[in-house]
Amino acid sequence: MTTNALLLAALALAIALCALCTKLSHRLGIPALALFSLIGMLFGSDGVLGIPFADAAMAEQLCSLALVPILFYGGFGTNWKTARPVAGRAILLSSAGVFLTSALTGLFCHLALGMSWWEGMLMGSVVGSTDATSVFSVLRSHKLNCKGGLAPLLEVESGSNDPFAYILTVAILSLKGGEGSLAGLFLAQVGGGVLCGFALGAAAVFLMKRLRFESEGWQPIFTLALALLIYALTGLLGGNGYLAVYISGILLGNAPIPHKRPLVHFFDGATSLLQIAIFFTLGLLSFPSGLPRVLPAGLAISLFLALVARPAAVFLLLAPFRMPWRQKLLLCVAGLRGAAAIVFSLVVAAGAPGLERDIFHIIFVVALSSVTVQGALIPWAAKKLDLVDPDGTVLETFTDYQETGAARLVQLPAGALLQGAPRFVADLPLPEGVLIVEILRAGETVVPSGGTLVKEGDTLTLCGEEESLSALLSPEIQG
């Protein structure tokens, strides 16, 4: 009992310290995610509390699962109207950009650091993608919106490129063992992820438009369950679950589903807690005493990624597009490596236990230095390059700016909401933020209250914002 109480106290203290670090990070200019890892290191085997934790398999499973709601919410919080013009560039970076970055980094690890070919390519594949958790956190914590659609470009790229890095990592492991082919694995993972994302996402939208819960608190729980179910079903069908939940999140977030605001509030809190869990767990798993011997290799890879591999991918792949060099330069600075790379390194450690290098701690150094240095540089670089949009913030997506939209009045036949029987105003299925301001009945005006009975033939005058009203004015409701 005493041991359990101590562990619970340590867990509560860790969460509280991580939460307080979000305030400290703004003052120091250091991303909070890096501080979460440092706290994990202080709590771990080599730290002050000395909590023994060396179960890499458990850490990989926990962190992989925690990435699901984060990627789902990343898609949910993407305004597709804003992202559509830059989607082609984002997908090009998230696919071909990953392969090019991985190949260049693998070549560097072999030629400059003396790694074997396959060990170098494994190292490159693990760090090939920018990290969604880190990018979302930095952009949204600083409320940073950039000119030229850079914020949605970065979010779509980082939200969709983890599957490509994962596929490449698993493919190299399979090829080393003489199993499978890169083309087959790529088609199954990406094709399955895309198909399941759209199909299951559309089914989720269908459900969310029609379900009405007794309490708004159940809708976020149901939505989280849908995200986890989409991830699991996609995996069972051979597709990439991360890609599927990201696509389904975009579909759900851009659909006129009711009560979006509680969903935003729920996932804001839930994903913040999951970010703490991921970086704290990875810090807990690391051994600070082992970092000095991998520090040179880790910092060398981090510098190569920031100064050579990422810029080469950005400037080469985006050359056909008319983008100012300043925008491309900011894309290079924002190429953060983070939790996903460390989680993938655990996959490699489990799949190739005979590696000469300590890949986990090398990637841990890469990710920590990237999040700490590059993450802190993004707001500064955006200002220096004159790319900060003063008229808005990255939080102004369809999910967040309901409060800033202009309200308007519309009229709607009551029969669209009655479902064949008279109902009280309080019982009508109205989206959040939509009010009935008057009822027209047989040429007379009725001032409504919650106890006013609405009958067939009445005409309702509704007041609300465009996004909320669109759910009522959709063909499904009217027909």
Side-chain angles (χ1 to χ4, degrees), residues 67 129-136 158 161-162 279 336-341:
L67 286 174
S129 65
T130 56
D131 185 63
T133 308
S134 305
V135 172
F136 295 159
S158 61
N161 65 8
D162 284 345
F279 279 85
L336 303 182
R337 317 294 146 165

Side-chain angles (χ1 to χ4, degrees), residues 301-312 332 374:
I301 294 172
S302 185
L303 286 172
F304 181 83
L305 281 166
L307 301 178
V308 180
R310 173 69 174 179
C332 297
Q374 285 181 260

